[in-house]
Amino acid sequence: MIINRFIKVILLLLGGVFIVLQGLAYESEGAAVSALMLILLTVLYCVWTPKKSRLFFWFLVVSAMGYLLGFLSWYMPRIEEGGTDYYYYGSNILFIISYLFLIIKIVSSFKLKEVFKGLAIPIIILLILDVFCVVLVSETTEAALTGSEYALEYVYNAVIMALLSVALIDYMYRNDTKSMLFLVGSICIVFSEIIQLAYYYILEDNSLGFVYSLFLVVAFLFFYLQSQLDASDPEPFYMDEQLEV
């Protein structure tokens, strides 16, 4: 129990250090701290979580691998002009896979027929909004990226928006604390990614580094908190209201 609390305190301290480092543009040091945080968070989840989810475990593991690869990229030989940055592709593909694990985890808990029957209109609206947001956000990086990098960024943004939509549907479906925490975490991830794009490709403002890293830390905090709770069944009266509408 003491080790559990010690790791949690260390994680909170590292979260604060990570936010400060990113805000001061110490990105290689920030990458090291983020990789260490994800490794410790994975250990915390594996050792002290009574009811573990295999998909959430793989989300943490693959995310940790992505941040570790991002850290290693700072100490590799410089990429020549026109060369392929395999670390950029590798880390982003790992992040995409990690978020897909979260999406699959949530969708696999749905009774799909019930969800589509009760929430058809919200789902259609979310799909339209997702397409609009992905196109709009991705276009901000088009001039700064190569064709393959832009395609990867497009897929990345699509997965992030899909995660947010699934989290919102899950909250409407279950209306419990666990789904609310997951939704807040997903919102923070989306905000973090959008601000991060602005930080790297639009505005050279270090204050954005503070903001996007803060959202990122808060997102993983909420993801961990929801992983400690059991999911509830959908509230019958809520689903009945949806069916009547």
Side-chain angles (χ1 to χ4, degrees):
M1 196 67 180
I2 295 176
I3 298 176
N4 178 304
R5 291 178 180 175
F6 177 74
I7 291 177
K8 288 179 179 177
V9 171
I10 293 297
L11 279 169
L12 289 174
L13 292 174
L14 288 176
V17 171
F18 171 70
I19 293 168
V20 172
L21 289 174
Q22 292 299 113
L24 297 176
Y26 290 108
E27 295 186 15
S28 60
E29 293 83 355
V33 173
S34 64
L36 178 58
M37 285 172 59
L38 261 295
I39 293 171
L40 288 177
L41 187 61
T42 303
V43 172
L44 184 67
Y45 179 77
C46 291
V47 178
W48 285 282
T49 299
K51 295 182 180 179
K52 302 176 186 66
S53 164
R54 185 176 299 177
L55 290 170
F56 190 78
F57 165 76
W58 282 111
F59 159 70
L60 291 176
V61 170
V62 177
S63 293
M65 291 169 61
Y67 282 106
L68 186 59
L69 192 60
F71 163 65
L72 293 175
S73 68
W74 287 97
Y75 300 95
M76 294 296 108
R78 236 183 128 129
I79 308 289
E80 296 181 3
E81 189 173 348
T84 302
D85 188 350
Y86 293 105
Y87 292 94
Y88 168 83
Y89 287 100
S91 59
N92 279 283
I93 288 171
L94 286 172
F95 291 139
I96 288 171
I97 294 171
S98 70
Y99 292 132
L100 285 174
F101 278 125
L102 279 186
I103 293 171
I104 294 169
K105 177 183 182 298
I106 298 302
V107 172
S108 63
S109 69
F110 289 161
K111 295 178 180 177
L112 293 178
K113 184 184 291 187
E114 200 174 71
V115 170
F116 282 112
K117 190 174 182 180
L119 299 170
I121 294 176
I123 290 172
I124 293 171
I125 294 172
L126 284 173
L127 283 173
I128 294 171
L129 288 175
D130 283 352
V131 172
F132 174 77
C133 291
V134 169
V135 171
L136 186 65
V137 171
S138 299
E139 281 182 352
T140 61
T141 64
E142 187 174 6
L145 300 175
T146 64
S148 56
E149 289 173 342
Y150 177 74
L152 180 62
E153 194 69 41
Y154 199 95
V155 173
Y156 189 99
N157 293 334
V159 171
I160 290 295
M161 291 307 302
L163 175 65
L164 177 58
S165 296
V166 167
L168 182 56
I169 293 168
D170 184 50
Y171 180 65
M172 289 189 289
Y173 179 62
R174 298 188 187 283
N175 195 26
D176 62 358
T177 302
K178 181 180 178 71
S179 60
M180 181 188 69
L181 293 175
F182 189 85
L183 175 60
V184 174
S186 300
I187 291 171
C188 289
I189 282 289
V190 171
F191 282 169
S192 175
E193 293 298 333
I194 292 174
I195 296 169
Q196 191 172 0
L197 287 178
Y199 176 65
Y200 283 115
Y201 301 112
I202 301 176
L203 299 173
E204 294 184 3
D205 186 350
N206 286 344
S207 63
L208 293 179
F210 281 111
V211 178
Y212 92 75
S213 56
L214 174 63
F215 275 119
L216 188 61
V217 170
V218 172
F220 275 91
L221 171 62
F222 277 101
F223 283 151
Y224 174 76
L225 290 176
Q226 67 83 32
S227 74
Q228 304 304 295
L229 302 175
D230 294 327
S232 64
D233 293 327
E235 295 185 8
F237 72 88
Y238 180 75
M239 293 306 298
D240 290 343
E241 287 177 3
Q242 294 297 317
L243 292 172
E244 288 174 6
V245 174

